[in-house]
Amino acid sequence: MNGKQQIQQSEIPVYLFTGFLEAGKTKFIQETLEDKRFNSGEKTLLLLCEEGEEEYDISVMPCREIYIRTIDKPEEMTTEHFTSLLQETGASRVVLEYNGMWQLSQLYQNLPDTWTVYQEMFFVDSSTFLQYNANMRSLVVDKLNSCELVIFNRFTKDMDKMTFHKIVRGISRRTDIAYEYVNGEVEYDNIEDPLPFDINAPVIRIADSDYALWYRDIMEEPQKYQDKVVSFRGIVARDPKFPQNTFAVGRHVMTCCIEDIAYSCVIAEWEKAEMLQTRQWIQVTGEIHIKKHKLYKGKGPVLEVQDVVMTSAPEQEIATFY
């Protein structure tokens, strides 16, 4: 990280470090603040949202204008409180060590308008990660959803990188992955993620088990599907407010838990749309065109339907990434 980044006047950069207790956040932040390339004179608000075993040593930092403040409970994360802490310290940037047991939405909803997250990193103790993912998956998903980099520290040679890789990629395809071994060696993940369907086939056939992956892919990189023909099984949604000959077709997708299940659909246009009924399962084939549509409130994939076959629900009605 470069502490001398050019920023707009009055914009406060925030460097956000997330992770569960004893995941290595404190050690990394301490080393970062000891680095002259990052800490070269800026007044810094070091905001701590949990108390770990390690303590910060400001005496060894090149610039000691580091003002440590704590937030003991999520209710203290208010826009007014954040603003008052910044005014009190006179800091020009924020380094935030976040409690892994708190949802990030509460932080993002209350950050002052002038605070901008420049970098978000997620630190993980590899020896406990699989247990966290099994028992507290919603918290794991919460942290992986938005971080730029996840660091699996205390990694050992007998651990299977693919297991960790799949969990991350099931949540985010954009997050970079690094493995830090117990000897200090760092290895960046270079495992390729081929899609489980052939995007260059005359008809891209989406298996029931791959719907969630396909939907995320088309929403993240819609242009690569321009003029492609796709075929998948989905459930119909119709609404009198839809334009004529228009319906939605998709699947209910679960990212991590029951609470986040959402109907994830594309807009479809078909001259026989009135024949369809809401909650009807169909196998639909059509050509994708990326264009403006008022139901998207902007551009999105619109399926020009070529064929519809009535069908039954798949064995697993809720689509997942894993």
PDB file of all heavy atoms in Angstrom, residues 145 166-174 193 195 197 210-222 224-225 253 255 264 321:
ATOM      1  N   ASN A 145     -17.252 -11.369   0.430  1.00  0.00           N
ATOM      2  CA  ASN A 145     -18.041 -10.699  -0.607  1.00  0.00           C
ATOM      3  C   ASN A 145     -17.381  -9.443  -1.145  1.00  0.00           C
ATOM      4  O   ASN A 145     -17.463  -9.144  -2.333  1.00  0.00           O
ATOM      5  CB  ASN A 145     -19.431 -10.335  -0.063  1.00  0.00           C
ATOM      6  CG  ASN A 145     -20.490 -11.309  -0.535  1.00  0.00           C
ATOM      7  OD1 ASN A 145     -20.388 -11.875  -1.613  1.00  0.00           O
ATOM      8  ND2 ASN A 145     -21.510 -11.501   0.280  1.00  0.00           N
ATOM      9  N   LYS A 166     -11.862 -23.156  -3.606  1.00  0.00           N
ATOM     10  CA  LYS A 166     -13.256 -23.361  -4.007  1.00  0.00           C
ATOM     11  C   LYS A 166     -14.219 -22.580  -3.120  1.00  0.00           C
ATOM     12  O   LYS A 166     -15.239 -22.061  -3.599  1.00  0.00           O
ATOM     13  CB  LYS A 166     -13.586 -24.855  -3.975  1.00  0.00           C
ATOM     14  CG  LYS A 166     -13.019 -25.638  -5.150  1.00  0.00           C
ATOM     15  CD  LYS A 166     -13.453 -27.096  -5.088  1.00  0.00           C
ATOM     16  CE  LYS A 166     -12.981 -27.863  -6.305  1.00  0.00           C
ATOM     17  NZ  LYS A 166     -13.399 -29.299  -6.243  1.00  0.00           N
ATOM     18  N   ILE A 167     -13.897 -22.513  -1.839  1.00  0.00           N
ATOM     19  CA  ILE A 167     -14.772 -21.755  -0.936  1.00  0.00           C
ATOM     20  C   ILE A 167     -14.772 -20.275  -1.318  1.00  0.00           C
ATOM     21  O   ILE A 167     -15.832 -19.638  -1.386  1.00  0.00           O
ATOM     22  CB  ILE A 167     -14.328 -21.933   0.522  1.00  0.00           C
ATOM     23  CG1 ILE A 167     -14.578 -23.378   0.965  1.00  0.00           C
ATOM     24  CG2 ILE A 167     -15.068 -20.961   1.442  1.00  0.00           C
ATOM     25  CD1 ILE A 167     -14.005 -23.720   2.328  1.00  0.00           C
ATOM     26  N   VAL A 168     -13.598 -19.735  -1.598  1.00  0.00           N
ATOM     27  CA  VAL A 168     -13.515 -18.325  -1.988  1.00  0.00           C
ATOM     28  C   VAL A 168     -14.220 -18.091  -3.311  1.00  0.00           C
ATOM     29  O   VAL A 168     -15.038 -17.169  -3.444  1.00  0.00           O
ATOM     30  CB  VAL A 168     -12.037 -17.868  -2.085  1.00  0.00           C
ATOM     31  CG1 VAL A 168     -11.963 -16.420  -2.571  1.00  0.00           C
ATOM     32  CG2 VAL A 168     -11.349 -18.002  -0.734  1.00  0.00           C
ATOM     33  N   ARG A 169     -13.940 -18.930  -4.287  1.00  0.00           N
ATOM     34  CA  ARG A 169     -14.512 -18.727  -5.621  1.00  0.00           C
ATOM     35  C   ARG A 169     -16.023 -18.969  -5.646  1.00  0.00           C
ATOM     36  O   ARG A 169     -16.723 -18.437  -6.491  1.00  0.00           O
ATOM     37  CB  ARG A 169     -13.812 -19.619  -6.633  1.00  0.00           C
ATOM     38  CG  ARG A 169     -12.408 -19.142  -6.966  1.00  0.00           C
ATOM     39  CD  ARG A 169     -12.448 -17.820  -7.725  1.00  0.00           C
ATOM     40  NE  ARG A 169     -11.103 -17.242  -7.859  1.00  0.00           N
ATOM     41  CZ  ARG A 169     -10.624 -16.273  -7.096  1.00  0.00           C
ATOM     42  NH1 ARG A 169     -11.395 -15.752  -6.156  1.00  0.00           N
ATOM     43  NH2 ARG A 169      -9.414 -15.822  -7.266  1.00  0.00           N
ATOM     44  N   GLY A 170     -16.517 -19.758  -4.700  1.00  0.00           N
ATOM     45  CA  GLY A 170     -17.953 -19.940  -4.600  1.00  0.00           C
ATOM     46  C   GLY A 170     -18.668 -18.676  -4.161  1.00  0.00           C
ATOM     47  O   GLY A 170     -19.872 -18.534  -4.337  1.00  0.00           O
ATOM     48  N   ILE A 171     -17.902 -17.730  -3.595  1.00  0.00           N
ATOM     49  CA  ILE A 171     -18.470 -16.477  -3.106  1.00  0.00           C
ATOM     50  C   ILE A 171     -18.044 -15.300  -3.977  1.00  0.00           C
ATOM     51  O   ILE A 171     -18.848 -14.406  -4.270  1.00  0.00           O
ATOM     52  CB  ILE A 171     -18.031 -16.239  -1.645  1.00  0.00           C
ATOM     53  CG1 ILE A 171     -18.542 -17.378  -0.756  1.00  0.00           C
ATOM     54  CG2 ILE A 171     -18.526 -14.891  -1.134  1.00  0.00           C
ATOM     55  CD1 ILE A 171     -17.904 -17.432   0.603  1.00  0.00           C
ATOM     56  N   SER A 172     -16.798 -15.288  -4.398  1.00  0.00           N
ATOM     57  CA  SER A 172     -16.281 -14.156  -5.178  1.00  0.00           C
ATOM     58  C   SER A 172     -15.250 -14.633  -6.193  1.00  0.00           C
ATOM     59  O   SER A 172     -14.327 -15.377  -5.854  1.00  0.00           O
ATOM     60  CB  SER A 172     -15.630 -13.126  -4.244  1.00  0.00           C
ATOM     61  OG  SER A 172     -14.935 -12.139  -4.986  1.00  0.00           O
ATOM     62  N   ARG A 173     -15.399 -14.172  -7.417  1.00  0.00           N
ATOM     63  CA  ARG A 173     -14.407 -14.475  -8.452  1.00  0.00           C
ATOM     64  C   ARG A 173     -13.379 -13.363  -8.575  1.00  0.00           C
ATOM     65  O   ARG A 173     -12.411 -13.475  -9.326  1.00  0.00           O
ATOM     66  CB  ARG A 173     -15.103 -14.690  -9.800  1.00  0.00           C
ATOM     67  CG  ARG A 173     -16.001 -15.931  -9.826  1.00  0.00           C
ATOM     68  CD  ARG A 173     -16.643 -16.120 -11.177  1.00  0.00           C
ATOM     69  NE  ARG A 173     -15.639 -16.304 -12.216  1.00  0.00           N
ATOM     70  CZ  ARG A 173     -15.827 -15.992 -13.494  1.00  0.00           C
ATOM     71  NH1 ARG A 173     -16.972 -15.470 -13.877  1.00  0.00           N
ATOM     72  NH2 ARG A 173     -14.887 -16.200 -14.374  1.00  0.00           N
ATOM     73  N   ARG A 174     -13.600 -12.266  -7.858  1.00  0.00           N
ATOM     74  CA  ARG A 174     -12.715 -11.106  -7.990  1.00  0.00           C
ATOM     75  C   ARG A 174     -11.656 -11.032  -6.893  1.00  0.00           C
ATOM     76  O   ARG A 174     -10.653 -10.336  -7.040  1.00  0.00           O
ATOM     77  CB  ARG A 174     -13.553  -9.823  -7.963  1.00  0.00           C
ATOM     78  CG  ARG A 174     -14.572  -9.751  -9.102  1.00  0.00           C
ATOM     79  CD  ARG A 174     -15.415  -8.500  -9.012  1.00  0.00           C
ATOM     80  NE  ARG A 174     -16.389  -8.432 -10.098  1.00  0.00           N
ATOM     81  CZ  ARG A 174     -17.273  -7.459 -10.251  1.00  0.00           C
ATOM     82  NH1 ARG A 174     -17.317  -6.471  -9.388  1.00  0.00           N
ATOM     83  NH2 ARG A 174     -18.124  -7.481 -11.269  1.00  0.00           N
ATOM     84  N   ASP A 193      -9.981 -21.070 -13.106  1.00  0.00           N
ATOM     85  CA  ASP A 193     -11.365 -21.407 -12.815  1.00  0.00           C
ATOM     86  C   ASP A 193     -12.166 -21.513 -14.102  1.00  0.00           C
ATOM     87  O   ASP A 193     -12.943 -20.622 -14.443  1.00  0.00           O
ATOM     88  CB  ASP A 193     -12.001 -20.333 -11.924  1.00  0.00           C
ATOM     89  CG  ASP A 193     -11.451 -20.382 -10.515  1.00  0.00           C
ATOM     90  OD1 ASP A 193     -11.686 -21.385  -9.840  1.00  0.00           O
ATOM     91  OD2 ASP A 193     -10.792 -19.406 -10.108  1.00  0.00           O
ATOM     92  N   LEU A 195     -15.126 -22.268 -16.467  1.00  0.00           N
ATOM     93  CA  LEU A 195     -16.557 -22.382 -16.217  1.00  0.00           C
ATOM     94  C   LEU A 195     -17.015 -23.811 -16.513  1.00  0.00           C
ATOM     95  O   LEU A 195     -16.470 -24.463 -17.409  1.00  0.00           O
ATOM     96  CB  LEU A 195     -17.312 -21.388 -17.095  1.00  0.00           C
ATOM     97  CG  LEU A 195     -17.096 -19.914 -16.748  1.00  0.00           C
ATOM     98  CD1 LEU A 195     -17.632 -19.013 -17.858  1.00  0.00           C
ATOM     99  CD2 LEU A 195     -17.756 -19.559 -15.430  1.00  0.00           C
ATOM    100  N   PHE A 197     -19.355 -24.912 -18.098  1.00  0.00           N
ATOM    101  CA  PHE A 197     -20.134 -25.027 -19.338  1.00  0.00           C
ATOM    102  C   PHE A 197     -19.335 -24.375 -20.446  1.00  0.00           C
ATOM    103  O   PHE A 197     -18.452 -23.550 -20.204  1.00  0.00           O
ATOM    104  CB  PHE A 197     -21.512 -24.363 -19.187  1.00  0.00           C
ATOM    105  CG  PHE A 197     -21.473 -23.026 -18.484  1.00  0.00           C
ATOM    106  CD1 PHE A 197     -21.173 -21.860 -19.170  1.00  0.00           C
ATOM    107  CD2 PHE A 197     -21.728 -22.941 -17.123  1.00  0.00           C
ATOM    108  CE1 PHE A 197     -21.126 -20.639 -18.528  1.00  0.00           C
ATOM    109  CE2 PHE A 197     -21.685 -21.727 -16.463  1.00  0.00           C
ATOM    110  CZ  PHE A 197     -21.391 -20.568 -17.172  1.00  0.00           C
ATOM    111  N   ASP A 210     -25.382 -25.767 -12.133  1.00  0.00           N
ATOM    112  CA  ASP A 210     -24.486 -24.663 -12.487  1.00  0.00           C
ATOM    113  C   ASP A 210     -25.206 -23.325 -12.621  1.00  0.00           C
ATOM    114  O   ASP A 210     -24.587 -22.326 -13.006  1.00  0.00           O
ATOM    115  CB  ASP A 210     -23.758 -24.975 -13.805  1.00  0.00           C
ATOM    116  CG  ASP A 210     -22.865 -26.198 -13.704  1.00  0.00           C
ATOM    117  OD1 ASP A 210     -22.368 -26.463 -12.588  1.00  0.00           O
ATOM    118  OD2 ASP A 210     -22.686 -26.878 -14.720  1.00  0.00           O
ATOM    119  N   TYR A 211     -26.492 -23.294 -12.323  1.00  0.00           N
ATOM    120  CA  TYR A 211     -27.244 -22.057 -12.573  1.00  0.00           C
ATOM    121  C   TYR A 211     -26.678 -20.871 -11.784  1.00  0.00           C
ATOM    122  O   TYR A 211     -26.522 -19.771 -12.338  1.00  0.00           O
ATOM    123  CB  TYR A 211     -28.737 -22.219 -12.241  1.00  0.00           C
ATOM    124  CG  TYR A 211     -29.505 -20.951 -12.543  1.00  0.00           C
ATOM    125  CD1 TYR A 211     -29.968 -20.688 -13.827  1.00  0.00           C
ATOM    126  CD2 TYR A 211     -29.725 -19.981 -11.565  1.00  0.00           C
ATOM    127  CE1 TYR A 211     -30.633 -19.500 -14.121  1.00  0.00           C
ATOM    128  CE2 TYR A 211     -30.386 -18.797 -11.853  1.00  0.00           C
ATOM    129  CZ  TYR A 211     -30.842 -18.568 -13.127  1.00  0.00           C
ATOM    130  OH  TYR A 211     -31.479 -17.388 -13.433  1.00  0.00           O
ATOM    131  N   ALA A 212     -26.379 -21.060 -10.511  1.00  0.00           N
ATOM    132  CA  ALA A 212     -25.895 -19.943  -9.688  1.00  0.00           C
ATOM    133  C   ALA A 212     -24.597 -19.379 -10.257  1.00  0.00           C
ATOM    134  O   ALA A 212     -24.422 -18.150 -10.347  1.00  0.00           O
ATOM    135  CB  ALA A 212     -25.701 -20.397  -8.246  1.00  0.00           C
ATOM    136  N   LEU A 213     -23.671 -20.264 -10.663  1.00  0.00           N
ATOM    137  CA  LEU A 213     -22.404 -19.812 -11.243  1.00  0.00           C
ATOM    138  C   LEU A 213     -22.648 -19.052 -12.551  1.00  0.00           C
ATOM    139  O   LEU A 213     -22.038 -18.013 -12.811  1.00  0.00           O
ATOM    140  CB  LEU A 213     -21.481 -20.998 -11.492  1.00  0.00           C
ATOM    141  CG  LEU A 213     -20.862 -21.663 -10.261  1.00  0.00           C
ATOM    142  CD1 LEU A 213     -20.188 -22.962 -10.648  1.00  0.00           C
ATOM    143  CD2 LEU A 213     -19.862 -20.723  -9.600  1.00  0.00           C
ATOM    144  N   TRP A 214     -23.531 -19.598 -13.388  1.00  0.00           N
ATOM    145  CA  TRP A 214     -23.813 -18.941 -14.661  1.00  0.00           C
ATOM    146  C   TRP A 214     -24.459 -17.578 -14.438  1.00  0.00           C
ATOM    147  O   TRP A 214     -24.073 -16.591 -15.087  1.00  0.00           O
ATOM    148  CB  TRP A 214     -24.745 -19.792 -15.522  1.00  0.00           C
ATOM    149  CG  TRP A 214     -25.223 -19.052 -16.732  1.00  0.00           C
ATOM    150  CD1 TRP A 214     -24.497 -18.756 -17.858  1.00  0.00           C
ATOM    151  CD2 TRP A 214     -26.516 -18.449 -16.931  1.00  0.00           C
ATOM    152  NE1 TRP A 214     -25.257 -18.028 -18.753  1.00  0.00           N
ATOM    153  CE2 TRP A 214     -26.495 -17.825 -18.197  1.00  0.00           C
ATOM    154  CE3 TRP A 214     -27.672 -18.393 -16.166  1.00  0.00           C
ATOM    155  CZ2 TRP A 214     -27.603 -17.138 -18.709  1.00  0.00           C
ATOM    156  CZ3 TRP A 214     -28.780 -17.720 -16.673  1.00  0.00           C
ATOM    157  CH2 TRP A 214     -28.733 -17.104 -17.928  1.00  0.00           C
ATOM    158  N   TYR A 215     -25.394 -17.494 -13.525  1.00  0.00           N
ATOM    159  CA  TYR A 215     -26.083 -16.228 -13.297  1.00  0.00           C
ATOM    160  C   TYR A 215     -25.109 -15.159 -12.807  1.00  0.00           C
ATOM    161  O   TYR A 215     -25.135 -14.020 -13.275  1.00  0.00           O
ATOM    162  CB  TYR A 215     -27.211 -16.409 -12.281  1.00  0.00           C
ATOM    163  CG  TYR A 215     -28.043 -15.164 -12.133  1.00  0.00           C
ATOM    164  CD1 TYR A 215     -28.999 -14.824 -13.082  1.00  0.00           C
ATOM    165  CD2 TYR A 215     -27.850 -14.301 -11.064  1.00  0.00           C
ATOM    166  CE1 TYR A 215     -29.745 -13.655 -12.980  1.00  0.00           C
ATOM    167  CE2 TYR A 215     -28.587 -13.134 -10.939  1.00  0.00           C
ATOM    168  CZ  TYR A 215     -29.536 -12.826 -11.906  1.00  0.00           C
ATOM    169  OH  TYR A 215     -30.267 -11.657 -11.789  1.00  0.00           O
ATOM    170  N   ARG A 216     -24.248 -15.527 -11.876  1.00  0.00           N
ATOM    171  CA  ARG A 216     -23.268 -14.552 -11.397  1.00  0.00           C
ATOM    172  C   ARG A 216     -22.341 -14.118 -12.531  1.00  0.00           C
ATOM    173  O   ARG A 216     -22.007 -12.945 -12.671  1.00  0.00           O
ATOM    174  CB  ARG A 216     -22.441 -15.130 -10.240  1.00  0.00           C
ATOM    175  CG  ARG A 216     -21.470 -14.112  -9.639  1.00  0.00           C
ATOM    176  CD  ARG A 216     -20.681 -14.710  -8.499  1.00  0.00           C
ATOM    177  NE  ARG A 216     -19.843 -15.809  -8.948  1.00  0.00           N
ATOM    178  CZ  ARG A 216     -19.150 -16.585  -8.127  1.00  0.00           C
ATOM    179  NH1 ARG A 216     -19.236 -16.408  -6.821  1.00  0.00           N
ATOM    180  NH2 ARG A 216     -18.394 -17.554  -8.592  1.00  0.00           N
ATOM    181  N   ASP A 217     -21.940 -15.083 -13.376  1.00  0.00           N
ATOM    182  CA  ASP A 217     -21.020 -14.766 -14.462  1.00  0.00           C
ATOM    183  C   ASP A 217     -21.652 -13.812 -15.468  1.00  0.00           C
ATOM    184  O   ASP A 217     -21.022 -12.847 -15.896  1.00  0.00           O
ATOM    185  CB  ASP A 217     -20.573 -16.055 -15.159  1.00  0.00           C
ATOM    186  CG  ASP A 217     -19.368 -15.840 -16.054  1.00  0.00           C
ATOM    187  OD1 ASP A 217     -18.335 -15.365 -15.545  1.00  0.00           O
ATOM    188  OD2 ASP A 217     -19.460 -16.134 -17.258  1.00  0.00           O
ATOM    189  N   ILE A 218     -22.891 -14.046 -15.840  1.00  0.00           N
ATOM    190  CA  ILE A 218     -23.522 -13.192 -16.848  1.00  0.00           C
ATOM    191  C   ILE A 218     -23.800 -11.800 -16.286  1.00  0.00           C
ATOM    192  O   ILE A 218     -23.791 -10.805 -17.016  1.00  0.00           O
ATOM    193  CB  ILE A 218     -24.810 -13.826 -17.413  1.00  0.00           C
ATOM    194  CG1 ILE A 218     -25.234 -13.098 -18.696  1.00  0.00           C
ATOM    195  CG2 ILE A 218     -25.932 -13.829 -16.398  1.00  0.00           C
ATOM    196  CD1 ILE A 218     -26.383 -13.763 -19.423  1.00  0.00           C
ATOM    197  N   MET A 219     -24.020 -11.705 -14.976  1.00  0.00           N
ATOM    198  CA  MET A 219     -24.258 -10.400 -14.379  1.00  0.00           C
ATOM    199  C   MET A 219     -22.953  -9.626 -14.177  1.00  0.00           C
ATOM    200  O   MET A 219     -22.937  -8.405 -14.242  1.00  0.00           O
ATOM    201  CB  MET A 219     -25.000 -10.543 -13.050  1.00  0.00           C
ATOM    202  CG  MET A 219     -26.445 -10.964 -13.225  1.00  0.00           C
ATOM    203  SD  MET A 219     -27.351  -9.779 -14.279  1.00  0.00           S
ATOM    204  CE  MET A 219     -28.928 -10.636 -14.497  1.00  0.00           C
ATOM    205  N   GLU A 220     -21.844 -10.353 -13.962  1.00  0.00           N
ATOM    206  CA  GLU A 220     -20.558  -9.683 -13.784  1.00  0.00           C
ATOM    207  C   GLU A 220     -19.921  -9.325 -15.126  1.00  0.00           C
ATOM    208  O   GLU A 220     -19.266  -8.287 -15.253  1.00  0.00           O
ATOM    209  CB  GLU A 220     -19.603 -10.577 -12.982  1.00  0.00           C
ATOM    210  CG  GLU A 220     -19.971 -10.706 -11.519  1.00  0.00           C
ATOM    211  CD  GLU A 220     -18.967 -11.538 -10.745  1.00  0.00           C
ATOM    212  OE1 GLU A 220     -18.072 -12.156 -11.377  1.00  0.00           O
ATOM    213  OE2 GLU A 220     -19.072 -11.576  -9.508  1.00  0.00           O
ATOM    214  N   GLU A 221     -20.075 -10.190 -16.140  1.00  0.00           N
ATOM    215  CA  GLU A 221     -19.463  -9.950 -17.449  1.00  0.00           C
ATOM    216  C   GLU A 221     -20.492 -10.167 -18.553  1.00  0.00           C
ATOM    217  O   GLU A 221     -20.368 -11.088 -19.371  1.00  0.00           O
ATOM    218  CB  GLU A 221     -18.264 -10.879 -17.651  1.00  0.00           C
ATOM    219  CG  GLU A 221     -17.152 -10.701 -16.635  1.00  0.00           C
ATOM    220  CD  GLU A 221     -15.968 -11.590 -16.942  1.00  0.00           C
ATOM    221  OE1 GLU A 221     -15.251 -11.303 -17.928  1.00  0.00           O
ATOM    222  OE2 GLU A 221     -15.770 -12.587 -16.214  1.00  0.00           O
ATOM    223  N   PRO A 222     -21.524  -9.343 -18.589  1.00  0.00           N
ATOM    224  CA  PRO A 222     -22.621  -9.584 -19.540  1.00  0.00           C
ATOM    225  C   PRO A 222     -22.199  -9.536 -21.001  1.00  0.00           C
ATOM    226  O   PRO A 222     -22.738 -10.276 -21.830  1.00  0.00           O
ATOM    227  CB  PRO A 222     -23.626  -8.471 -19.207  1.00  0.00           C
ATOM    228  CG  PRO A 222     -22.829  -7.417 -18.511  1.00  0.00           C
ATOM    229  CD  PRO A 222     -21.769  -8.136 -17.762  1.00  0.00           C
ATOM    230  N   LYS A 224     -19.770 -10.670 -22.630  1.00  0.00           N
ATOM    231  CA  LYS A 224     -19.240 -11.874 -23.270  1.00  0.00           C
ATOM    232  C   LYS A 224     -20.349 -12.836 -23.681  1.00  0.00           C
ATOM    233  O   LYS A 224     -20.105 -13.802 -24.396  1.00  0.00           O
ATOM    234  CB  LYS A 224     -18.214 -12.558 -22.376  1.00  0.00           C
ATOM    235  CG  LYS A 224     -18.741 -13.310 -21.175  1.00  0.00           C
ATOM    236  CD  LYS A 224     -17.550 -13.885 -20.398  1.00  0.00           C
ATOM    237  CE  LYS A 224     -18.010 -14.755 -19.241  1.00  0.00           C
ATOM    238  NZ  LYS A 224     -16.857 -15.232 -18.449  1.00  0.00           N
ATOM    239  N   TYR A 225     -21.570 -12.544 -23.248  1.00  0.00           N
ATOM    240  CA  TYR A 225     -22.717 -13.361 -23.652  1.00  0.00           C
ATOM    241  C   TYR A 225     -23.536 -12.725 -24.777  1.00  0.00           C
ATOM    242  O   TYR A 225     -24.542 -13.293 -25.198  1.00  0.00           O
ATOM    243  CB  TYR A 225     -23.626 -13.622 -22.446  1.00  0.00           C
ATOM    244  CG  TYR A 225     -23.035 -14.587 -21.445  1.00  0.00           C
ATOM    245  CD1 TYR A 225     -22.265 -14.123 -20.377  1.00  0.00           C
ATOM    246  CD2 TYR A 225     -23.210 -15.959 -21.577  1.00  0.00           C
ATOM    247  CE1 TYR A 225     -21.709 -15.002 -19.459  1.00  0.00           C
ATOM    248  CE2 TYR A 225     -22.655 -16.845 -20.670  1.00  0.00           C
ATOM    249  CZ  TYR A 225     -21.905 -16.359 -19.611  1.00  0.00           C
ATOM    250  OH  TYR A 225     -21.351 -17.245 -18.721  1.00  0.00           O
ATOM    251  N   VAL A 253     -31.690 -18.398  -5.660  1.00  0.00           N
ATOM    252  CA  VAL A 253     -30.279 -18.690  -5.418  1.00  0.00           C
ATOM    253  C   VAL A 253     -29.952 -18.392  -3.955  1.00  0.00           C
ATOM    254  O   VAL A 253     -30.321 -17.339  -3.426  1.00  0.00           O
ATOM    255  CB  VAL A 253     -29.364 -17.862  -6.340  1.00  0.00           C
ATOM    256  CG1 VAL A 253     -27.898 -18.056  -5.974  1.00  0.00           C
ATOM    257  CG2 VAL A 253     -29.600 -18.266  -7.802  1.00  0.00           C
ATOM    258  N   THR A 255     -26.762 -17.892  -1.417  1.00  0.00           N
ATOM    259  CA  THR A 255     -25.315 -17.699  -1.339  1.00  0.00           C
ATOM    260  C   THR A 255     -24.739 -18.393  -0.123  1.00  0.00           C
ATOM    261  O   THR A 255     -23.752 -19.116  -0.212  1.00  0.00           O
ATOM    262  CB  THR A 255     -24.972 -16.201  -1.297  1.00  0.00           C
ATOM    263  OG1 THR A 255     -25.493 -15.575  -2.475  1.00  0.00           O
ATOM    264  CG2 THR A 255     -23.470 -15.985  -1.231  1.00  0.00           C
ATOM    265  N   SER A 264     -33.160 -14.881  -8.691  1.00  0.00           N
ATOM    266  CA  SER A 264     -32.125 -14.348  -9.578  1.00  0.00           C
ATOM    267  C   SER A 264     -32.502 -14.702 -11.009  1.00  0.00           C
ATOM    268  O   SER A 264     -32.363 -15.851 -11.427  1.00  0.00           O
ATOM    269  CB  SER A 264     -30.756 -14.933  -9.211  1.00  0.00           C
ATOM    270  OG  SER A 264     -30.452 -14.651  -7.859  1.00  0.00           O
ATOM    271  N   PHE A 321     -23.907 -22.230  -4.848  1.00  0.00           N
ATOM    272  CA  PHE A 321     -22.581 -22.167  -5.451  1.00  0.00           C
ATOM    273  C   PHE A 321     -21.717 -23.353  -5.020  1.00  0.00           C
ATOM    274  O   PHE A 321     -20.548 -23.424  -5.389  1.00  0.00           O
ATOM    275  CB  PHE A 321     -21.883 -20.871  -5.048  1.00  0.00           C
ATOM    276  CG  PHE A 321     -22.514 -19.636  -5.623  1.00  0.00           C
ATOM    277  CD1 PHE A 321     -23.446 -18.918  -4.897  1.00  0.00           C
ATOM    278  CD2 PHE A 321     -22.191 -19.201  -6.895  1.00  0.00           C
ATOM    279  CE1 PHE A 321     -24.046 -17.785  -5.422  1.00  0.00           C
ATOM    280  CE2 PHE A 321     -22.775 -18.062  -7.432  1.00  0.00           C
ATOM    281  CZ  PHE A 321     -23.713 -17.361  -6.698  1.00  0.00           C
TER     282      PHE A 321
END
